[in-house]
Amino acid sequence: MKNYFALNYTGEPFELYGTAHFIALVIITLFCLSFLYLRNIFNEEQKKRFRRFLFAFLVLDEISWHTWAIYWGVWDVNTMLPLHMCSVMVWVSAFMLLTKNYTAYELVYFLGIGGATQALLTPDASGYGFPHFRAFQTFIGHGLLVAIPIYMTIVEGFRPTLQSFKRVFIWTNLYMIPIFFLNLVIGSNYLFIAYKPEFTTLLDLLAPWPWYVLQLEVIGFAILFILYFPFLIKDLRLKKQAVTI
């Protein structure tokens, strides 16, 4: 059992797109699809309880990671401050689950799904394969960042708007400015805008620094638009029907 929480894990390293990776992605997908059923059976009290369950699971997962890192003496301000987009979205998601705040939902819908999906496809488990704690923690945390806004959309009836799309894109770019200067000061790589990560990511397909940062702008805009697109189509159809009537 100790080996599953050990810093120097002696088991198999994480295999990108291996069997365990595939199973983890399937489980997360099925969990999200289950919301189509839950929306038909949940009353308001059950929705509240489920939000609290998601909140507790998400926060516990995040705290367990920091606790593990502190225990083994690998917690570092250069890597573990809650400044990466997914780390920020953990706490924004937690706040949203407790308050049903719509502004928080906008951020979590676009940045939670957009960022965590990429993290699930190319996770940083630091070489720890299943059943090590870090592998479970990585997929649970990022899986919840995808599942929570989908739950709020399907079951709770929230939805993004065109203004949501604009606001999130603008605020994301504004957030990058202080992070860029912080990276310069302390030598960190938050948001991965100082250099490409050492582990395999989709950034490996892009140009060298600093040009890939500009490419990220285009890709980020495209991802946000794709996430808004189903609602854009719905709005255009309703508008067309209204004009016809």
Side-chain angles (χ1 to χ4, degrees):
M1 179 62 71
K2 289 184 178 180
N3 189 42
Y4 300 146
F5 291 91
L7 179 64
N8 299 313
Y9 181 52
T10 59
E12 292 294 324
F14 181 80
E15 181 183 357
L16 189 65
Y17 300 121
T19 301
H21 189 184
F22 177 75
I23 292 174
L25 294 177
V26 169
I27 291 174
I28 292 169
T29 301
L30 293 176
F31 181 58
C32 293
L33 289 175
S34 72
F35 301 150
L36 294 172
Y37 171 72
L38 296 182
R39 70 178 177 181
N40 296 320
I41 64 171
F42 270 4
N43 57 36
E44 291 304 315
E45 182 60 29
Q46 289 171 318
K47 291 178 183 178
K48 184 177 181 179
R49 291 177 181 175
F50 194 71
R51 289 197 309 272
R52 289 178 176 175
F53 164 77
L54 293 173
F55 167 85
F57 216 58
L58 179 66
V59 171
L60 179 61
D61 179 82
E62 184 73 3
I63 292 176
S64 69
W65 175 42
H66 288 272
T67 302
W68 178 85
I70 292 170
Y71 177 83
W72 288 110
V74 294
W75 197 98
D76 190 286
V77 295
N78 283 1
T79 58
M80 296 200 65
L81 290 176
L83 298 176
H84 276 304
M85 195 58 69
C86 286
S87 294
V88 174
M89 287 306 107
V90 165
W91 300 108
V92 175
S93 297
F95 173 73
M96 179 200 63
L97 288 168
L98 292 181
T99 65
K100 297 182 68 175
N101 181 277
Y102 181 75
T103 300
Y105 164 79
E106 292 178 324
L107 293 169
V108 172
Y109 178 81
F110 286 107
L111 301 180
I113 296 177
T117 297
Q118 296 175 66
L120 289 170
L121 293 176
T122 55
D124 173 23
S126 301
Y128 297 107
F130 289 102
H132 192 274
F133 157 76
R134 279 287 285 124
F136 280 106
Q137 184 273 322
T138 297
F139 277 91
I140 289 173
H142 290 98
L144 285 173
L145 287 182
V146 172
I148 287 170
I150 292 177
Y151 165 80
M152 294 299 294
T153 303
I154 293 177
V155 181
E156 301 279 353
F158 282 49
R159 57 148 294 176
T161 66
L162 180 58
Q163 293 304 314
S164 304
F165 169 70
K166 295 177 181 178
R167 281 192 291 268
V168 171
F169 185 75
I170 292 172
W171 280 109
T172 301
N173 280 274
L174 292 176
Y175 176 65
M176 288 175 61
I177 296 173
I179 298 301
F180 173 79
F181 288 105
L182 177 68
N183 286 337
L184 290 178
V185 172
I186 68 175
S188 57
N189 189 25
Y190 291 111
L191 300 184
F192 303 127
I193 56 177
Y195 51 85
K196 292 184 180 181
E198 297 178 356
F199 55 92
T200 302
T201 69
L202 298 178
L203 297 183
D204 295 336
L205 302 176
L206 304 183
W209 188 92
W211 307 114
Y212 78 82
V213 178
L214 299 177
Q215 292 175 315
L216 282 177
E217 285 286 316
V218 178
I219 294 172
F221 184 90
I223 291 174
L224 297 188
F225 181 77
I226 290 171
L227 289 171
Y228 172 63
F229 188 71
F231 300 95
L232 173 62
I233 296 299
K234 181 179 180 179
D235 290 343
L236 290 176
R237 286 179 176 174
L238 290 176
K239 184 176 181 180
K240 183 178 181 181
Q241 291 175 359
V243 172
T244 303
I245 295 175

